[in-house]
Amino acid sequence: DNLLGISWVDSSWIPILNNGSVLDYFSERSNPFYDRTCNNEVVKMQRMTLDHLNQMVGVEYILLHAQEPILFIIRKQQRQSPTQVMPLADYYIIAGVIYQAPDLGSVINSRVLTAVHGIQSAFEEAMSYCRYHPSKGYWWHFKDQEEREKTKPKAKKKEEPSSIFQRQRVDALLLDLRQKFPPRFVQQKPGEKPIPVDQIKKEPEPTPEAVKPEEKETVKNAQSAGAKGPPEKRIRLQ
């Protein structure tokens, strides 16, 4: 079974973990990484020291590296002679939690699968944006780009000032339209109801004969006074 995805811990052992007790901790019966047929179990049952492992042949566990109290590395190896061993697996204990270290083949296989999955996902996403039509051919259709264009504020265009020719031409057209279509209603004061142009009463202008002679004299006096100017002020001598 693949044990790379599991871990094991016994919280009662964590306060007393050290170089001398870590192999006993690893040899707990509930530990799935421990092999009951190993030489360590034989030495433990016969109450011998771990130095006798060098004289035996078979599977054994040794403490490869220790960094108390946080890190311990245990190696599982096949002993063929007192001087010849073959490593089988490595296990590391971090804060009392036991993990199996992955081998080189598993690491390469995981990295290759991750890279292939990323490339395949990129191709599938790229193909989802591809469009084709017999008359247009191939093109890219991105949904995110359309949403950005919708949310992007449109820049207001600056209005250019009109030229003299344009203003004169517009005034001429407005005057022509006013002559062709004169207004039918007139609003004399703001807020009042508009009145038709036909109902507006025009006051008759007074004829020159109807002007009274007294008014003529007052007008003449006013004109002469305006021509002569105001009388000069004299300084009084005291």
Side-chain angles (χ1 to χ4, degrees), residues 120-182:
Q120 186 176 0
S121 301
F123 273 112
E124 291 177 356
E125 186 174 359
M127 289 299 296
S128 65
Y129 297 128
C130 182
R131 300 290 185 273
Y132 173 76
H133 193 272
S135 60
K136 296 181 180 179
Y138 289 96
W139 76 92
W140 298 103
H141 180 73
F142 297 101
K143 296 180 181 179
D144 297 341
Q145 187 175 1
E146 291 182 356
E147 294 178 357
R148 290 176 183 176
E149 290 179 356
K150 290 180 181 179
T151 56
K152 186 178 180 181
K154 296 182 179 179
K156 295 182 179 180
K157 295 182 180 179
K158 294 182 179 180
E159 296 182 358
E160 297 181 357
S162 60
S163 61
I164 298 176
F165 172 76
Q166 291 175 344
R167 291 196 293 270
Q168 291 177 353
R169 185 61 179 167
V170 170
D171 293 340
L173 291 173
L174 292 176
L175 182 61
D176 188 16
L177 290 173
R178 184 179 179 183
Q179 292 176 357
K180 289 182 179 180
F181 307 100

Side-chain angles (χ1 to χ4, degrees), residues 201-215:
K201 296 180 180 180
K202 295 183 179 180
E203 296 180 357
E205 296 179 358
T207 57
E209 297 178 355
V211 178
K212 295 180 180 180
E214 295 177 357
E215 294 179 356

